[in-house]
Amino acid sequence: ADECKLFEKEVCKGGYCGNTEGSYDCYCESGHYYDPVKLECKDVNECLDESICDGGECLNTNGSYICFCKPPMVLDPNSYRCIVLPQL
């Protein structure tokens, strides 16, 4: 049976349902995970990871996050930490 066609409105809400032998797989957009209890894709709260925005404020958004650093600090794109740029 193709669960994706039979239960399209009930399984894999917010994602792409892929039929498999005897079951299905749910593929969610980047920044989301599949909740098998609620049968839907849910947002990952990246701000729960303390290494993100270290030294700054993290704001979770749908599928991503925004990092705010207090001046004169800026976000280092390589480490996702707030750093002070060296003076030239």
Side-chain angles (χ1 to χ4, degrees), residues 11-16 26-29 32 39-42:
V11 299
C12 198
K13 292 176 227 141
Y16 170 75
C26 185
Y27 303 95
C28 300
E29 292 180 8
H32 294 80
L39 303 175
E40 67 184 3
C41 292
K42 306 221 22 146

Side-chain angles (χ1 to χ4, degrees), residues 2-56:
D2 186 340
E3 292 83 2
C4 297
K5 286 188 178 169
L6 289 171
F7 308 109
E8 66 181 286
K9 301 286 185 207
E10 299 165 29
V11 299
C12 198
K13 292 176 227 141
Y16 170 75
C17 186
N19 189 48
T20 63
E21 178 112 12
S23 188
Y24 67 94
D25 287 326
C26 185
Y27 303 95
C28 300
E29 292 180 8
S30 177
H32 294 80
Y33 68 95
Y34 183 64
D35 182 337
V37 174
K38 295 193 177 202
L39 303 175
E40 67 184 3
C41 292
K42 306 221 22 146
D43 177 54
V44 172
N45 185 351
E46 293 86 358
C47 294
L48 296 176
D49 181 346
E50 293 180 7
S51 67
I52 291 179
C53 295
D54 187 21

